Amino acid sequence: MSIDLKSLRDEAIRAMTVTNTEEELENLRVEYFGKKGKLTNQLKALKDLTPDERARTGKEANELKAELENLLESRRRKVKEAYFNEIARKEHYDPTVIPGKFPQSYLPHTDAGHIHPISIMQQKLENIFTSMGFSIMDGPQVETDFFNFGALNFTDDHPAREMQDTFYTGDSHLLRTHTSAVQVRSMQKLRPPMRVVAPGRVFRYEEIDASHEHTFYQMEGMIIDREISTANLIHTMKTLLAGIFEKEVEVRLRPGYFPFVEPGFELDMQCSICGGKGCPVCKNSGWVEVLPCGLVHPNVLKAGGLDPTQWQGAAFGLGLNRLVMMHYAIEDIRHFQNLNTDFLFQF
Ligand code: PHE
């Protein structure tokens, strides 16, 4: 091999074996094989040689070209592999390793999985409700029109259906828009008197922004007994909120419309930030909206096979995402679903 080619080869091999990024490799490719590249120049210079020398050096130069191209390619593969291995190493965690300790005490970015903030809230509420004698019910996420709407006193052409636009599966099923779909399922399954909560995932055909998601979480509550009044509802809600906020809270009811309750309410609680004096969080009103509720409409009791002259009920719907957002001061609902572990590991 000519001295020029030999030193070119040594230099190129040394440079290629220490590169660690694709960008550096690309620079080397241009440096050697580009239009004005070092090896390209050598090949161009062949024409000035005697035919004999040209044949010999030409062969060597072409062999060197193939050798260096191979080296570059294998180096490129290694760099890529290292890049993806690094991502896999950084983002790997094992969701089956749930520590025995409470997740809040967990340090960020350990390899262990941990409980999602919505589930933390759900478990907290389940504990409060089971301590009050409630059973926990479950219902399907792909629902029939009957349980999601029809049984809940939405007539076929009822405009309230539009408040809860959803996704239809094409075989007369839909993705449930609220956990209220579990109300009539529970009536059919259990006999009154009964107290149930039904946590779970719900869906709406929404324009997505910081406070609206197409997929979110609710917890339905329902009490059925011989005599149920708004007083029972208020008491249950105050007990619940005291459990969540770990202190006594004042509440108030405003009228709210839902076809499956009569009367229907929006329940507000006194702002826990300013104690009711008025602040930016409560928009100076002293109150924050927490949950819709009401007394179960007689038509809903009938749909569940209960005689409305014998039984009465109260129901409420907790928005789990909203509660978690209030609790941890989270500003954007989209954080819950975007699989960003930096967000999730904070809890
Ligand atoms: N299901 C209603 C919703 O999602 C909330 C609700 C539940 C209202 C129970 C009244 C009683 O908007």
Side-chain angles (χ1 to χ4, degrees):
M1 188 180 282
S2 76
I3 305 222
D4 281 354
L5 283 185
K6 179 136 185 18
S7 64
L8 191 72
R9 177 174 183 272
D10 291 347
E11 174 199 305
I13 290 177
R14 217 175 305 124
M16 286 176 191
T17 36
V18 297
T19 44
N20 286 318
T21 66
E22 291 210 58
E23 196 187 336
E24 284 170 355
L25 286 169
E26 177 58 18
N27 290 342
L28 284 178
R29 192 191 61 75
V30 174
E31 186 178 337
Y32 287 92
F33 309 121
K35 259 204 191 117
K36 293 191 178 131
K38 290 177 179 168
L39 195 61
T40 316
N41 286 342
Q42 293 281 339
L43 288 164
K44 277 190 205 152
L46 289 174
K47 67 179 187 326
D48 303 327
L49 300 176
T50 64
D52 251 13
E53 281 175 329
R54 194 185 309 148
R56 191 170 37 83
T57 316
K59 186 165 171 272
E60 282 172 3
N62 277 317
E63 277 166 6
L64 178 59
K65 183 163 184 241
E67 182 190 357
L68 292 183
E69 277 174 345
N70 275 339
L71 179 63
L72 200 65
E73 186 47 37
S74 81
R75 196 66 207 158
R76 198 189 296 280
R77 246 180 280 126
K78 281 218 180 80
V79 165
K80 239 196 189 122
E81 206 176 280
Y83 172 75
F84 284 114
N85 282 342
E86 178 61 9
I87 291 182
R89 192 191 61 75
K90 266 213 292 235
E91 297 190 359
H92 169 82
Y93 78 98
D94 182 350
T96 63
V97 184
I98 293 178
K101 283 189 232 150
F102 199 63
Q104 261 88 339
S105 65
Y106 233 67
L107 293 172
H109 292 109
T110 60
D111 286 347
H114 73 98
I115 301 174
H116 192 280
I118 301 249
S119 305
I120 295 175
M121 181 58 79
Q122 180 181 324
Q123 288 171 4
K124 185 167 176 172
L125 295 178
E126 284 178 0
N127 285 340
I128 297 173
F129 279 115
T130 45
S131 79
M132 292 196 271
F134 281 70
S135 314
I136 298 168
M137 296 294 286
D138 200 7
Q141 292 169 15
V142 181
E143 248 310 353
T144 60
D145 186 275
F146 176 74
F147 287 114
N148 197 80
F149 290 128
L152 294 175
N153 202 32
F154 290 80
T155 51
D156 284 346
D157 53 356
H158 202 293
R161 277 177 191 243
E162 265 168 42
M163 288 171 11
Q164 303 190 353
D165 205 357
T166 188
F167 302 97
Y168 292 86
T169 61
D171 61 352
S172 81
H173 282 69
L174 47 80
L175 299 190
R176 67 176 180 187
T177 56
H178 50 182
T179 45
S180 299
V182 186
Q183 284 189 15
V184 169
R185 283 186 176 277
S186 306
M187 291 178 201
Q188 290 181 351
K189 203 164 211 151
L190 308 173
R191 301 315 301 162
M194 64 196 194
R195 275 171 276 185
V196 295
V197 284
R201 188 181 286 150
V202 300
F203 310 85
R204 301 235 177 133
Y205 183 66
E206 287 280 9
E207 191 86 46
I208 291 168
D209 62 26
S211 46
H212 296 88
E213 255 287 16
H214 51 70
T215 302
F216 54 102
Y217 296 80
Q218 293 185 331
M219 183 182 273
E220 193 75 8
M222 186 177 70
I223 311 169
I224 309 269
D225 212 325
R226 294 287 178 192
E227 276 181 41
I228 293 292
S229 72
T230 307
N232 300 112
L233 185 62
I234 293 175
H235 172 76
T236 311
M237 294 301 92
K238 285 190 76 159
T239 311
L240 165 71
L241 293 172
I244 300 177
F245 293 96
E246 283 150 13
K247 63 174 185 223
E248 180 93 355
V249 284
E250 285 304 314
V251 301
R252 71 173 186 189
L253 297 178
R254 286 177 292 116
Y257 177 71
F258 301 90
F260 43 96
V261 284
E262 178 56 37
F265 306 109
E266 292 290 348
L267 183 137
D268 296 340
M269 69 173 227
Q270 202 164 58
C271 178
S272 60
I273 308 287
C274 64
K277 288 194 201 72
C279 70
V281 171
C282 58
K283 299 196 191 82
N284 277 321
S285 71
W287 298 91
V288 274
E289 188 174 317
V290 263
L291 60 99
C293 55
L295 298 186
V296 179
H297 195 288
N299 288 350
V300 179
L301 293 168
K302 277 189 220 155
L306 303 180
D307 177 353
T309 65
Q310 299 296 311
W311 298 104
Q312 296 180 322
F316 49 91
L318 287 159
L320 293 184
N321 300 61
R322 227 180 95 79
L323 276 182
V324 175
M325 288 170 83
M326 278 166 69
H327 194 261
Y328 294 105
I330 295 166
E331 82 299 356
D332 194 320
I333 193 171
R334 288 167 290 197
H335 290 310
F336 292 121
Q337 296 235 120
N338 73 5
L339 304 181
N340 178 356
T341 46
D342 284 341
F343 168 76
L344 294 173
F345 274 117
Q346 297 176 87
F347 301 96

